[in-house]
Structure formats: structure tokens, C-alpha cells
Amino acid sequence: MLPGKFLGVVVDFNSTKELLEKVQQGYLKASWRDGETLKTGYVLVSAGQIMGALVEDVLNGTRLEGESALEEMSRVSRSKKVRAVELYEADVTEILRENPSIRVENGVISEEIPGWDLDSLLLVLTTHRGELRVHNGGTSWRLYLDKGVVRAAQTIRGPALKGNEALKNLLWEIGKVIKDGRFETGGHWEFTRDEEVHDGGVFTESVHLLKEKRRVDNAKGF
């Protein structure tokens, strides 16, 4: 159990991004069943950034720390096992000083977003800094996002494309991705010069247009 001041419980949330914005200095706490045991996870947050992670097995006392704990939290997040998250205010610097093994370097909870969920996708596109993988059938793309702007792109399955050509290919297929594909957030990516994208804002703009088209179609009863 980490020290802190209880702020409240969030039950209805679409993404951990929403939760990170609610805690300036402190941590998120969640519990879930894993087979025959019960686990509790903590994600330390400072100014919207993940600074540390800890997962404790409540019954046998074992624990995962740092990157391993964050990977476990990502797995649980994707499985939708967590229904409620507690928010705590705490001195993150002090907690990490006393527990240096729970610190993480590039803290991101990996999440999967179905292609049709444009609201959650737009939230990620406008707030996430790091990798976003896009999967659809036989093709997958890898983007580096910087709060609404695609800085780099490449295909990781399908035709071998990089930079502007990879992004152009994704935009060509975006309708199919929205219908049948999925998105997956990730961490840091050291991209190369030939993977850089020149007009990176066009992807977020395209998703906004698709959302508006859906709204208009629904209003017309299509």
C-alpha cells in the first residue's frame, strides 16, 4: 500500500489517458482478479506522465515492479478486467526515492482501441506522445504521435513503406481500418530521417472528418 490522499473513484472511463489527466501528482490504484488470486496495481503519475508502476499479489505477497509491472497493467487494461480506478494525491518524488525499483523510463500503458471507436481514438491522437500501431487485415502501420501530429510512419506488415508514403498508404485504407481494424498505443520509438512525415496533422484531421461524416449520416438515418 502506497501513502497518499484519497481523491475519489472513477468508474466510467474510456482510456487511461483520461485518468492520467485527473491526477497532477499521485497515483492510480486498481484491483482485479487473476485466476485464483487478487492483484492490486499502482501507476505513479506526475503532470500527466507515468513515472512508476507496482503490481502486488494480495494473497501471496509477490510483486512486480517498474517496467514489468507496467506491462502487466497494460495487459489488464486491454483485457478490460478493471472496472473502477481509485485516484490518490501523493508525493511521487518521495515514493520513488523510497522505492527506486518501481521507477519507469518511458511510461505508457498500452491500450487497444477498436477502429470504430473514434472518440477514444481522437483522445489518443490529441494527447499521446509515442507509438501508435494500426492493424487491418494483412497490413499494419507504425506511427509516432506528438499530441495530434504524426512525426514518423512506417509499415510493419504488408508493403514496405516509410515516411510520407506509409502515411499516404494508411490514409488510403483508413475507411477499412475504421470499419474492421484496431489501434494500439505504445511507448517511445527512435525513428530515422527517412521515416519522418512532413504533413503529420493530416491524419488527425482525417479522423475528425470521418467522425463528422458519421454524425451527418446518422442524422440522415443512413
Side-chain angles (χ1 to χ4, degrees):
M1 179 69 182
L2 299 180
K5 176 184 176 183
F6 178 67
L7 299 177
V9 178
V10 179
V11 177
D12 185 17
F13 59 95
N14 295 317
S15 166
T16 54
K17 283 288 180 183
E18 296 179 34
L19 302 177
L20 296 178
E21 298 297 326
K22 293 180 181 294
V23 179
Q24 281 300 305
Q25 281 281 338
Y27 58 86
L28 314 177
K29 177 185 175 183
S31 298
W32 65 93
R33 287 209 164 273
D34 191 358
E36 297 299 317
T37 192
L38 179 66
K39 293 183 177 180
T40 298
Y42 304 85
V43 176
L44 276 68
V45 182
S46 178
Q49 300 298 311
I50 296 176
M51 307 299 292
L54 170 67
V55 174
E56 295 179 326
D57 189 311
V58 177
L59 298 183
N60 63 34
T62 59
R63 50 195 268 166
L64 296 173
E65 300 175 323
E67 303 292 347
S68 298
L70 200 57
E71 289 178 11
E72 175 71 358
M73 294 292 286
S74 294
R75 182 186 68 81
V76 171
S77 175
R78 291 193 298 269
S79 69
K80 306 298 183 184
K81 289 183 178 180
V82 173
R83 301 301 181 187
V85 174
E86 298 177 11
L87 310 180
Y88 287 81
E89 181 182 286
D91 187 336
V92 173
T93 301
E94 181 65 16
I95 292 175
L96 291 176
R97 187 184 67 80
E98 295 183 356
N99 304 272
S101 58
I102 71 175
R103 183 185 297 274
V104 298
E105 295 301 323
N106 295 303
V108 174
I109 295 181
S110 177
E111 294 185 291
E112 285 192 3
I113 303 168
W116 53 263
D117 190 352
L118 297 184
D119 288 331
S120 294
L121 176 58
L122 283 170
L123 178 65
V124 167
L125 289 179
T126 53
T127 61
H128 183 56
R129 179 175 290 155
E131 183 185 25
L132 179 71
R133 295 193 177 205
V134 186
H135 306 285
N136 184 62
T139 306
S140 292
W141 299 262
R142 185 188 196 192
L143 310 178
Y144 187 86
L145 292 178
D146 188 358
K147 295 188 176 181
V149 178
V150 177
R151 299 297 185 190
Q154 66 172 187
T155 52
I156 52 178
R157 190 174 57 170
L161 302 171
K162 296 181 179 181
N164 294 317
E165 291 303 313
L167 183 58
K168 188 184 300 182
N169 179 252
L170 172 57
L171 290 171
W172 183 260
E173 299 289 335
I174 192 62
K176 296 178 182 177
V177 174
I178 297 301
K179 182 179 179 182
D180 300 313
R182 59 186 174 87
F183 300 86
E184 180 184 358
T185 58
H188 192 63
W189 167 27
E190 294 289 345
F191 53 86
T192 60
R193 183 179 295 272
D194 59 349
E195 292 164 345
E196 292 180 357
V197 168
H198 297 141
D199 188 11
V202 67
F203 183 65
T204 301
E205 292 172 7
S206 298
V207 176
H208 274 293
L209 289 173
L210 285 168
K211 181 181 178 182
E212 179 62 16
K213 181 179 183 300
R214 176 183 290 177
R215 185 190 67 79
V216 171
D217 289 346
N218 288 341
K220 292 179 179 179
F222 291 165

